[in-house]
Amino acid sequence: MLEAYLPLIFMLIFGFGIAVIFLVLSEWLGARRITKEKQTTYESGMQPFRTARDRFSVKFYLVAMSFIVFDIEVVFLYPWAVQFKMLSPEAIIAMFIFIAILFAGYFYELRKGGIEWQ
Amino acid sequence: MDIFSIVFYLFAVIIVVSAAIVVMSKNIMYSAFSLLFTFFGVAGIYVLLNADFIAVTQIMIYIGGILILIIFGVMLTSRITGVDIKSGTTGKVQIAFAGVISLVIAITLIFLFANTKWFTSELKPHQSTIEDIGKELLTNYLLAFEVASVLLLIAIIGAAFIARRKS
């Protein structure tokens, strides 16, 4: 069974190898002519106008937390979906109760204005 | 040494080295990113133990979720300027206490490891664990499954409460 993961290991080695090769190549072949412009922070062509080390809005935390909760819901949905045909109707109702409880939390967040950005 | 052992020790080295960086790094951001490799190594160990569903869960929730939350937690703090976020320097007394506690835990674990009767199964491991998990979760462990949803509900309400606007 573990042989099934062999392509995954090859992909990891390949991906890591490519990254290392490109870093080494650019170090080896690339010229280094440092100018003031080149040494500034890269901001996709924009002029950086203040420090990036700023405090983030707590809204990010709320979004991340909601993401984890629904991520866990998806993880629970997988084994349910695989066994869907074998399970009794009660089990299907049970899963919908599970989803309904989580959606109660989502609606709470929505009504509290947690999703709104201003 | 067979391929199984080689892969096991590879993941074990990844876990131990990155966990050491998590603890010892002076910069909390480096600690957070090093935790990624610890989680990844643990996922690799799960795969070696034929626990494929747990391995995917580890990657999805711990690497994809918890780690993001930790990094957000760091970025939410006021002293983000890098210089101030450092693990505190510990005095000699703390180091002595920590050393003694670590030693006791290590001795206990080694003692348990040496005295446990390890059973090896004659059965071939399952092709995939997900079918069995799905069946058990929605029959024998249905109550625990529903209670888990209440726990998640508490988490989402708690987050909404923390992030609310002060009125």
Side-chain angles (χ1 to χ4, degrees):
Chain A
M1 160 170 190
L2 287 174
E3 287 80 47
Y5 291 96
L6 212 59
L8 198 68
I9 289 175
F10 279 132
M11 204 197 81
L12 278 176
I13 295 168
F14 191 72
F16 194 76
I18 289 281
V20 169
I21 285 168
F22 277 130
L23 279 175
V24 169
L25 271 183
S26 76
E27 186 72 20
W28 183 42
L29 296 173
R32 262 175 299 279
R33 280 183 290 273
I34 294 165
T35 63
K36 190 165 175 289
E37 256 336 87
K38 281 184 188 170
Q39 291 300 101
T40 54
T41 311
Y42 180 68
E43 279 285 2
S44 313
M46 309 281 276
Q47 289 281 352
F49 53 90
R50 60 181 170 84
T51 176
R53 305 275 164 86
D54 203 3
R55 273 183 86 177
F56 278 63
S57 169
V58 75
K59 299 270 181 189
F60 283 108
Y61 181 80
L62 186 62
V63 172
M65 199 71 196
S66 316
F67 168 72
I68 288 177
V69 168
F70 290 103
D71 204 26
I72 294 169
E73 184 192 334
V74 169
V75 163
F76 276 122
L77 278 171
Y78 273 131
W80 173 75
V82 168
Q83 287 293 76
F84 187 73
K85 284 187 177 163
M86 321 287 194
L87 290 167
S88 57
E90 288 87 5
I92 290 155
I93 294 164
M95 180 46 94
F96 275 96
I97 293 169
F98 181 83
I99 294 170
I101 291 172
L102 288 186
F103 262 84
Y106 175 70
F107 281 116
Y108 175 81
E109 203 181 284
L110 207 64
R111 293 297 298 275
K112 278 276 171 183
I115 311 288
E116 286 160 32
W117 289 74
Q118 46 210 341
Chain B
M1 205 150 90
D2 56 341
I3 185 106
F4 185 90
S5 305
I6 294 169
V7 176
F8 172 79
Y9 283 111
L10 181 73
F11 282 122
V13 166
I14 290 173
I15 292 170
V16 171
V17 170
S18 58
I21 295 170
V22 172
V23 178
M24 291 168 185
S25 174
K26 288 279 179 205
N27 189 326
I28 200 163
M29 261 325 208
Y30 292 169
S31 294
F33 278 104
S34 188
L35 201 58
L36 192 154
F37 293 97
T38 313
F39 287 152
F40 171 75
V42 172
I45 297 286
Y46 285 145
V47 169
L48 278 182
L49 294 171
N50 279 311
D52 50 357
F53 180 69
I54 305 292
V56 171
T57 308
Q58 170 84 7
I59 290 176
M60 270 186 76
I61 293 175
Y62 279 87
I63 297 181
I66 305 286
L67 200 65
I68 303 295
L69 203 66
I70 289 172
I71 291 170
F72 273 160
V74 173
M75 293 198 300
L76 288 172
T77 54
S78 54
R79 293 179 177 180
I80 191 68
T81 38
V83 197
D84 292 303
I85 312 171
K86 279 179 179 169
S87 45
T89 45
T90 43
K92 288 223 164 60
V93 184
Q94 286 95 323
I95 290 173
F97 263 113
V100 168
I101 292 167
S102 305
L103 205 66
V104 167
I105 292 171
I107 288 169
T108 314
L109 285 176
I110 292 165
F111 181 78
L112 282 174
F113 178 76
N115 285 286
T116 307
K117 217 172 148 221
W118 297 99
F119 293 102
T120 44
S121 173
E122 296 294 317
L123 291 165
K124 289 283 263 181
H126 284 260
Q127 278 301 304
S128 173
T129 55
I130 190 162
E131 283 93 355
D132 294 337
I133 289 173
K135 206 175 83 206
E136 291 294 316
L137 200 63
L138 287 152
T139 52
N140 290 339
Y141 298 97
L142 190 59
L143 184 66
F145 173 64
E146 296 294 345
V147 169
S149 75
V150 177
L151 184 71
L152 292 172
L153 179 69
I154 294 167
I156 202 166
I157 289 174
F161 186 74
I162 290 169
R164 78 197 185 284
R165 198 176 294 107
K166 286 256 165 61
S167 53

